[in-house]
Amino acid sequence: LCALYVSATENAATLQTHLQERRLPPLWIPKTGAYIRVSQIPLTATGKVDYRACAAIALETLPSPAA
């Protein structure tokens, strides 16, 4: 699980703390290091979130898990 986020001021630690304060289930909150700041969320031609592009960003950015 990872999170792509757009923010000019917040860092990943602040975002993670905010999510924990909202009392979300722990499985819904990415672990430290799994937050990726992007300039904008990728969209499809119809304006919806492009999940394939988001996954590609995550795969390029995050280290691969140990086998």
Side-chain angles (χ1 to χ4, degrees), residues 9-62:
T9 58
E10 286 195 36
N11 60 24
T14 305
L15 179 58
Q16 186 175 25
T17 301
H18 174 74
L19 294 174
Q20 290 169 341
E21 289 171 353
R22 303 295 275 165
R23 297 191 178 101
L24 292 172
L27 290 175
W28 292 6
I29 302 173
K31 297 185 186 316
T32 302
Y35 293 84
I36 305 167
R37 186 187 322 215
V38 294
S39 59
Q40 64 183 30
I41 299 295
L43 301 176
T44 63
T46 59
K48 297 179 181 177
V49 174
D50 187 343
Y51 293 103
R52 289 183 182 165
C54 290
I57 291 169
L59 288 173
E60 291 172 4
T61 307
L62 297 175

